[in-house]
Structure formats: structure tokens, C-alpha cells
Amino acid sequence: MVNQQRKSRWYFGGLGSVGAAIVTHPLDLIKVTLQTQQGKLSVFQLLPKIAREQGVLAFYNGLSASMLRQMTYSTTRFGVYEVGKEHVNTNTFAGKVTLAGLSGLVGGIVGTPADMVNVRMQNDVKLPVEQRRNYKNAVDGLIKVYRLEGFSRLFSGVTTATARGCMMTIGQIAFYDQTKIYLLSTPYFKDNLVTHFTASLVAGTIATTLTQPLDVLKTRSMNAKPGEYNGLWDIVKHTAKLGPLGFFKGYIPAFVRLGPHTIITFVFLEQLRLNFGYIER
């Protein structure tokens, strides 16, 4: 009973997301590579190609940026959501969606610079040697972008990143909370690993579907060379040449990556809550 009374601290979501990012980073790299290629290589063709040409460690390109992104983006959105519960009524699903959307908006803005460096570092493996950016790590990437391309470039893709952040946070946090409440209201589920796994699997599926079109546009925007596209609409038209499914390019690896990422994030978060959370008085 004491466990059920424990509340999550504002930074637990960020810690859980960092742990999940370390586990799922290779899947994220494959997703980004699929989204940015204009060709038609499948996942099964891409995997051996990267391993053969770049080596197995290439699947961890950009790991530092991925971790920095979670430290900024996910810590912010989970933190805003937890703190916001004290000011916004989340007893209804509409309240959860509203707060989650706001949390995702703030997180998307804060996390955009690290997200952009993350996309670039992951995509470096498929560029010709002379065109590679060769960032040593996430911080080096941020400094080089600022010095060579200007401060505003750090927020390239912020429009789609914030929109994606809203939809992602609604799909993950709001649906996780709502699904968990529903499961616990039945006699078949308790506040344990089975419930956390089931609710997070549902949340991961919904989040992937909601965010995939925005994720494709965000990835292309952040990876673009200066002047390659004339705004967001130009990216939409370019992607549309691949047909409607072009906006869902990389959906399967996106789900394969986001599903486990969501599950691991919430499993870590719930374990932190149950063992280190505070008891509401």
C-alpha cells in the first residue's frame, strides 16, 4: 500500500529516458538513416551495409548527443508534467492531454539543439568522407554549429520538433497514465511490472503513430544543408514525392525503437518511483 502512495520526482522521467536511450540507440540510428535516404533500401539491406562499410560501432554514432537530448528534452517534458499536476486537474483524460501537450511543447524547444546534433551525428555514416561533419561528441557538435552556422541554426527544425514533442508526450505520458489507471481499476492488475509493461506498450504504439509524419519532417529539416530547403512546406513537398507512405517512412524501425524505448523509460521511472519516490502526505 505504501508503494502505491509513492509519487514520482520531477527528474525520474529524464533518468529513465537516458537509460532507455542507451539501450535503444542503434534502433534510433537505423530509423534516422531510413528517413533521410531518398532511395529504397530496406532495414534488412541497411543493417549489413552499415556494419560492412562502417563497422559495428557505427550503430552507436551520436550516442552522446542522444543522451544529451534525453537530459534536456525528456527531463523537461516529464518534469513540467509532474510539477504541472499540482496546478492542472489531471483527473480527466482531457486534463492529462492538455498538460502533456504543454510539457511536450516546452521539452521540444529545450531539446532541439541536442536533437539536431543527434540527427547529424547518426547520419554522418552515410555521407561521403569529405562531407562528414565529424563531431567528436554532442558538446563539440553544439559548439561547431554555433560557430560555423550561427545560433539560430541550433534551433533548426524547432517547429516540427515542438509539434512532435507535443504529440509524443500526449502519446506517451497521457496515454500511459490513462491506460495504467484503467488497468488498475480492474481486478487483474496491480501496481507492478506487468501493469507498467502493458501500459507502456500501448503508449509506445500510440506515440509512434501520432508522431511519425512529424518525425520524418523533423529529421529531414535538421539534417539538411543550409539552403537545401525553402522552409517547412518545401520539405513537405519533397517528402510527398515518395507518396503518402513517405511520411511514414521508417515506421517499423521507429516502432521497434520507440516501443522498447517507451517501455524501458516507464519501467525505469516506475522502479525509481517505487523505491525512491516520495510519499504524499
Side-chain angles (χ1 to χ4, degrees):
M1 192 67 180
V2 173
N3 282 345
Q4 293 182 345
Q5 295 175 340
R6 288 191 178 273
K7 302 294 182 180
S8 177
R9 299 186 186 277
W10 67 268
Y11 53 86
F12 283 176
L15 292 176
S17 296
V18 169
I22 294 172
V23 176
T24 62
H25 184 75
L27 298 172
D28 195 30
L29 181 138
I30 295 166
K31 179 205 70 174
V32 169
T33 306
L34 279 170
Q35 289 176 345
T36 54
Q37 69 165 355
Q38 198 68 9
K40 295 183 179 180
L41 286 179
S42 69
V43 177
F44 302 106
Q45 293 171 316
L46 196 62
L47 285 172
K49 184 175 185 292
I50 293 175
R52 183 175 61 253
E53 296 179 359
Q54 305 295 331
V56 176
L57 291 180
F59 289 106
Y60 284 90
N61 283 339
L63 178 60
S64 63
S66 182
M67 292 175 65
L68 180 61
R69 176 176 180 267
Q70 297 303 331
M71 290 176 190
T72 53
Y73 165 66
S74 285
T75 300
T76 299
R77 66 194 183 108
F78 274 97
V80 171
Y81 188 81
E82 287 300 326
V83 175
K85 285 181 179 179
E86 300 176 6
H87 308 284
V88 177
N89 180 12
T90 55
N91 291 328
T92 64
F93 182 60
K96 292 182 179 69
V97 169
T98 300
L99 181 56
L102 176 62
S103 303
L105 175 70
V106 178
I109 295 172
V110 174
T112 293
D115 196 11
M116 187 195 67
V117 172
N118 181 37
V119 167
R120 288 186 171 189
M121 290 180 72
Q122 290 177 346
N123 197 56
D124 237 20
V125 298
K126 61 189 265 289
L127 293 175
V129 176
E130 65 277 6
Q131 294 181 19
R132 292 179 187 172
R133 298 176 174 100
N134 296 318
Y135 300 148
K136 297 176 182 176
N137 50 55
V139 175
D140 179 58
L142 291 173
I143 293 172
K144 284 184 176 177
V145 172
Y146 174 74
R147 287 179 176 174
L148 300 177
E149 302 176 49
F151 177 78
S152 61
R153 187 63 179 169
L154 288 170
F155 289 89
S156 173
V158 68
T159 303
T160 50
T162 52
R164 178 184 179 277
C166 287
M167 301 305 289
M168 177 67 76
T169 309
I170 290 170
Q172 283 186 324
I173 300 179
F175 275 91
Y176 176 83
D177 269 3
Q178 192 66 31
T179 303
K180 180 183 170 186
I181 289 171
Y182 172 75
L183 293 176
L184 291 177
S185 69
T186 71
Y188 309 107
F189 291 89
K190 305 298 180 184
D191 192 6
N192 56 26
L193 185 60
V194 174
T195 300
H196 305 157
F197 177 89
T198 305
S200 58
L201 179 60
V202 172
T205 303
I206 293 172
T208 304
T209 305
L210 289 176
T211 61
Q212 190 61 13
L214 292 169
D215 196 31
V216 171
L217 297 176
K218 173 188 72 72
T219 299
R220 285 180 175 265
S221 175
M222 289 180 170
N223 192 56
K225 302 178 181 66
E228 184 175 350
Y229 297 115
N230 296 317
L232 179 60
W233 182 241
D234 192 33
I235 302 176
V236 172
K237 290 190 294 183
H238 185 75
T239 306
K241 292 178 182 178
L242 300 172
L245 291 180
F247 292 96
F248 288 89
K249 196 169 187 178
Y251 181 88
I252 293 176
F255 174 75
V256 170
R257 174 257 172 188
L258 188 58
H261 186 277
T262 303
I263 291 168
I264 295 169
T265 295
F266 282 108
V267 167
F268 281 174
L269 186 155
E270 294 286 15
Q271 289 304 307
L272 288 169
R273 175 181 67 83
L274 293 174
N275 291 282
F276 304 105
Y278 66 93
I279 299 175
E280 193 172 46
R281 301 186 184 283

